[in-house]
Amino acid sequence: MNDDFTISALRARIARGELSHEALVGQVLEAAAQPAARHVFTRLYADGALAAARHADAARKAGVALGPLAGLPVSVKDLYDIAGETTMAGSAVCAGEPAAAHDAVAVARLRTQGAAIVGKTNMTEFAFSGVGINPHHGTPHNPADAQTPRIPGGSSSGAAVSVALGLAVAGLGSDTGGSIRIPAALCGIVGFKSTQSRVPRTGAFELARSLDTVCAMARNVEDCLTVDAAIADTPLAVRRRPLQGMRLAVPRTLMFDDIEPAVASAFDRALQTLSKAGAQVVDITLAELAEIATVNAPGGFSPVEASAVHRERFAAKRDGFDTRVAARIALGTEVRAADYIAMQDRRRDWIGRVEHAIEGFDALVCPTVPIVAPPIAALAEDAAFFKANGLLLRNTFAINLLDGCAFSLPCHGPGELPVGLMLASVRGDDARLAAVALAVESALHAR
C-alpha cells in the first residue's frame, strides 16, 4: 500500500508541480486495468474522471482555490445511483430495470466538490454479507497478502481495495452491519461509520432502512473526515484533544469471544500504547451486548427489511440471486408485522440502556473484527462461509444496532495481516469521537 496516497500528500505534490490532477487520474486508470485490481470495479468512468481532473488543473492554473477533493480520484460503491444507469448493487438480477434519473445525493455532493469519480466498485450482492465474495462479478483479492488470495471483507469490498491499492483517495461505501469497517479492518485502512442520519440515503440501494448508513473509507482519519464533510454537506466541528486523560471503555462481553491470537496480540499491544500515552483504558462488562441476538429476533432487521425491498424481485428471480444472499433474505419473509414492531420496541429500549451504561466514557474500544482475513478458498463451503460471516459482522453490528458512530483504525504491526481497532460512541457523537480517533491514530503511528 502506498502510504503517500493521502489527500494532503497528493495536494502537496501537486502544489510543488510534481504531479497534475490529469496525470494522477491517468495513472489510476492505468493501474485499474492491472491484474492486482481485477474485480475491484464493475464500471470505470475514464472520460468523466479525466474531465474532472483537467478542470481542476485549469482552475489551479488560473489561481482558483480548490477544495480538498477537487480533481482527486474517488470510487463509488455499486449501490449508488448514477444518472442514466441501472443500479445493479452487485447483482445480476437487476439487469433491465429502469435507469436512475438522478445521481444519489452523496454522489452529487462529491461531484459538486470536483471529485474525479473513477468508477463503481464491486460489492457483496445487495450489500448482504461481511465477507465480500461475489459470484457474479468475481471477488477482489485483499492486497495485504500477495501470496494467498484472501477475502477483502464486505460488503464494500471493491471500495476498500480501491483505497488500499491507491486507485482512490477515498471509497464511498455503506454500512448496515459493518460494511465500511469490516473491509477497512481487513485491508488495513480507515473506515468511518457516521450516525445514520448524518448523510441522506436518497439514491442508495436499500438493504435495511433501520440500519443503512452512507459513509466512506480512506487512508487516515483526516481523509475520512474530509469525505464525510463533502457527503454530509457540512463538516463536523472537531475540537482536537490530547489522548492524555481520555477514558476508553473496553467491553468484555461478546466482543472478544472466539478471537484469533493474531488479533488479540495486535489489539493488546495497541491498548498498551494508548495507556502509555496517557489514556485511561477501563475494562467494563457491558452485559447488554449479550442481548443482541434477542433484540434482533426473529429473523433480524436486515433480513426482514431486505425481504420487503426484494419482495417482487425475489418471487420472480430468486434463482438469479447469490444463493447465500437469498438464504439470508429468506429468513425475513415469514416474520409477522407484530414481531417486527416488537423488534423495534426492544431496540429502542436497548439503545437507551446501552447509552446510559457507557455515559462518561470518550469511546468504546474493541477489535473491529475478531479474525484476520481468511483465504477465499477456505470459505468455499456454506458452513465455513456463514461462520466467518457471523464473526466478521458481530462486533460492528452492535454499533449499527445502537445507531452509533464508529471508526476502524489499523493497529497491526509491520509484516502482519491487518487488524482493526474500533472506536465507537453513541448517536450524534460523531465530532467528539472524531477527536478521539485523531488522537488514537497519532499515538498508534508514533509507536
Side-chain angles (χ1 to χ4, degrees):
M1 187 168 73
N2 182 359
D3 291 332
D4 293 330
F5 210 82
T6 62
I7 292 173
S8 60
L10 291 171
R11 281 271 163 251
R13 290 188 63 198
I14 290 168
R16 292 194 297 265
E18 300 172 3
L19 184 68
S20 68
H21 298 91
E22 183 178 7
L24 172 63
V25 171
Q27 291 168 12
V28 163
L29 291 170
E30 183 177 338
Q34 301 305 308
R38 190 175 179 221
H39 306 313
V40 172
F41 292 98
T42 58
R43 184 163 187 168
L44 288 171
Y45 301 116
D47 291 344
L50 287 168
R54 292 178 187 126
H55 184 272
D57 284 333
R60 180 175 176 274
K61 186 177 180 180
V64 177
L66 297 177
L69 292 175
L72 298 186
V74 172
S75 67
V76 170
K77 190 175 181 178
D78 193 31
L79 56 67
Y80 288 99
D81 286 351
I82 298 289
E85 297 178 9
T86 297
T87 303
M88 297 298 291
S91 77
V93 296
C94 289
E97 294 184 9
H102 308 283
D103 285 347
V105 168
V107 174
R109 289 176 175 177
L110 287 171
R111 291 197 199 279
T112 298
Q113 294 295 317
I117 297 175
V118 293
K120 274 192 169 179
T121 50
N122 199 358
M123 56 181 284
T124 302
E125 182 184 73
F126 298 126
F128 213 166
S129 106
V131 177
I133 289 174
N134 188 301
H136 310 299
H137 305 293
T139 300
H141 292 180
N142 191 321
D145 190 341
Q147 306 303 317
T148 302
R150 295 180 181 272
I151 66 163
S155 65
S156 307
S157 54
V161 178
S162 73
V163 174
L165 286 177
L167 305 177
V169 295
L172 178 66
S174 65
D175 195 310
T176 302
S179 288
I180 282 284
R181 290 159 290 155
I182 295 166
L186 297 187
C187 292
I189 59 175
V190 177
F192 174 37
K193 185 262 181 231
S194 55
T195 299
Q196 186 192 37
S197 61
R198 179 156 169 77
V199 183
R201 303 191 304 279
T202 306
F205 199 110
E206 188 176 313
L207 169 58
R209 64 182 58 189
S210 296
L211 306 168
D212 291 347
T213 308
V214 175
C215 44
M217 57 188 80
R219 292 302 183 90
N220 57 30
V221 174
E222 195 69 60
D223 287 3
C224 282
L225 296 178
T226 295
V227 180
D228 171 78
I231 62 178
D233 203 27
T234 183
L236 289 169
V238 180
R239 297 178 60 186
R240 290 178 180 264
R241 301 166 52 199
L243 188 61
Q244 179 104 18
M246 286 187 182
R247 300 188 74 229
L248 306 178
V250 183
R252 291 294 174 178
T253 299
L254 187 71
M255 301 301 214
F256 293 84
D257 294 354
D258 300 314
I259 190 169
E260 288 186 348
V263 177
S265 176
F267 182 76
D268 288 345
R269 291 197 311 265
L271 287 189
Q272 292 170 17
T273 297
L274 300 182
S275 293
K276 289 177 181 177
Q280 298 177 28
V281 179
V282 182
D283 281 1
I284 63 171
T285 303
L286 197 58
E288 289 83 358
L289 294 175
E291 302 173 28
I292 289 176
T294 302
V295 174
N296 202 38
F301 282 98
S302 293
V304 171
E305 294 180 356
S307 69
V309 171
H310 295 287
R311 183 173 58 178
E312 295 181 5
R313 190 180 289 115
F314 202 55
K317 301 179 178 179
R318 176 169 178 166
D319 289 347
F321 280 63
D322 176 343
T323 56
R324 290 161 170 172
V325 170
R328 295 192 75 196
I329 292 174
L331 295 173
T333 56
E334 302 300 324
V335 175
R336 299 177 303 168
D339 292 328
Y340 176 68
I341 292 170
M343 288 168 61
Q344 295 283 7
D345 290 343
R346 287 196 301 271
R347 183 190 183 200
R348 279 192 293 272
D349 172 72
W350 182 84
I351 288 173
R353 288 186 289 114
V354 173
E355 289 179 341
H356 178 73
I358 62 177
E359 190 174 348
F361 290 101
D362 290 293
L364 295 175
V365 57
C366 66
T368 308
V369 294
I371 61 176
V372 296
I376 295 172
L379 306 185
E381 300 297 326
D382 282 354
F385 174 90
F386 284 113
K387 180 180 179 181
N389 189 55
L391 285 171
L392 290 167
L393 287 161
R394 186 193 66 206
N395 291 7
T396 53
F397 175 73
I399 309 306
N400 294 82
L401 191 65
L402 184 64
D403 189 21
C405 49
F407 285 85
S408 179
L409 309 180
C411 68
H412 55 286
E416 298 175 347
L417 287 173
V419 172
L421 177 148
M422 182 165 67
L423 297 163
S425 191
V426 299
R427 55 192 166 186
D429 202 28
D430 304 63
R432 195 164 64 91
L433 183 67
V436 177
L438 287 164
V440 168
E441 180 183 57
S442 178
L444 293 178
H445 284 178
R447 61 181 173 173

